[in-house]
Amino acid sequence: LMREERLERVQAQTALKNTYDAIPIGLFTLARDGSFERVNRSLADMLGINPNIDAKRYWHEHFESGSWDRLRDLLQQRQSGELEICSAASTGEPRRYHVKAALTEGKVEGSLQDITARHLATEKLKFLAENDPLTGVLNRRGVESMIEVAKREAAEGRPLAVAYLDLDRFKLINDLYGHVAGDDVLRQVCRRIEGVLAEGHILGRIGGDEFVIV
């Protein structure tokens, strides 16, 4: 009977280890000093480390400066929590991660997911919501938002000016050379205007050839 129980326990431990290694989410255990005590295969692949090497690996080697302090402070306050962090600047192409972690008997148990693609998609949607896709400058909605911010700052004593400009005979360019050439002119105009604006001056396109500077 004891042999059967021991066999069942070993089988259960093996199944748990296989699941831990195979699950497509990075799993980790951290010591008090921020060193990795255990990682599964997904996390090892994500961070480009060999889990079989004995050398200590630390959280701060793989993630942005201050992220270990943020994680530790979060868990000291609430025992468990979530946060988003970026990869360390020295690790190449920047990545963004979502971390879930809990403090268990002095150690940090947690999971990590790479959300870079989702983050970039969200940022792109935000950009398109308030920026002109042709020129990259603010669109009408973006200009309105910027003016609201500027009005609040003006109420606190910061100067505010709004300038309107349009392009003379722009329709003639489209008629003679086509809309592709017209689009290129609009892009060049925006780059030239931005090149002479001071810091804090914002350019927006509110119509075909109409622009506003805040």
Side-chain angles (χ1 to χ4, degrees):
L1 181 62
M2 291 179 63
R3 182 178 298 176
E4 289 179 359
E5 290 178 350
R6 184 171 179 275
L7 180 61
E8 289 177 357
R9 187 165 64 250
V10 170
Q11 289 175 339
Q13 290 173 341
T14 301
L16 183 60
K17 183 181 184 303
N18 290 339
T19 301
Y20 185 87
D21 287 335
I23 194 167
I25 297 175
L27 302 177
F28 61 83
T29 301
L30 296 172
R32 290 178 181 271
D33 62 355
S35 62
F36 287 98
E37 288 195 350
R38 187 180 183 189
V39 299
N40 70 342
R41 172 55 58 185
S42 293
L43 186 62
D45 292 343
M46 237 183 273
L47 302 183
I49 61 177
N50 186 343
N52 299 319
I53 294 178
D54 293 334
K56 267 193 174 185
R57 294 279 187 167
Y58 290 86
W59 183 271
H60 66 79
E61 296 174 346
H62 300 280
F63 304 107
E64 63 184 319
S65 176
S67 61
W68 168 240
D69 293 331
R70 287 172 55 203
L71 179 61
R72 186 175 53 191
D73 292 344
L74 175 68
L75 297 180
Q76 286 176 348
Q77 293 172 12
R78 298 190 297 183
Q79 296 296 304
S80 65
E82 305 177 23
L83 73 162
E84 288 189 11
I85 60 173
C86 295
S87 57
S90 59
T91 57
E93 192 71 22
R95 311 295 299 177
R96 197 169 189 90
Y97 301 98
H98 182 252
V99 181
K100 289 184 179 181
L103 194 61
T104 306
E105 298 179 354
K107 297 182 180 181
V108 178
E109 302 280 355
S111 66
L112 183 139
Q113 286 182 282
D114 189 328
I115 59 168
T116 306
R118 187 180 75 190
H119 174 74
L120 292 176
T122 301
E123 290 300 305
K124 184 176 181 180
L125 287 174
K126 288 181 181 177
F127 179 84
L128 292 176
E130 294 198 345
N131 289 78
D132 173 34
L134 175 64
T135 62
V137 301
L138 292 179
N139 59 18
R140 181 181 293 272
R141 177 179 174 182
V143 169
E144 290 173 350
S145 297
M146 182 56 62
I147 288 176
E148 287 302 314
V149 172
K151 283 165 61 179
R152 290 196 295 270
E153 293 177 347
E156 298 172 358
R158 182 175 178 180
L160 166 62
V162 179
Y164 168 86
L165 62 96
D166 66 358
L167 305 183
D168 292 340
R169 297 182 295 280
F170 178 70
K171 184 176 182 301
L172 189 60
I173 295 174
N174 280 330
D175 292 342
L176 290 177
Y177 302 106
H179 289 281
V180 173
D183 289 347
D184 192 41
V185 168
L186 290 173
R187 283 190 287 263
Q188 287 195 41
V189 165
C190 288
R191 301 295 82 81
R192 292 188 184 192
I193 294 174
E194 289 176 327
V196 297
L197 293 180
E199 184 178 353
H201 296 182
I202 305 298
L203 173 66
R205 180 183 176 215
I206 59 172
D209 65 343
E210 299 175 297
F211 301 88
V212 165
I213 298 170
V214 182

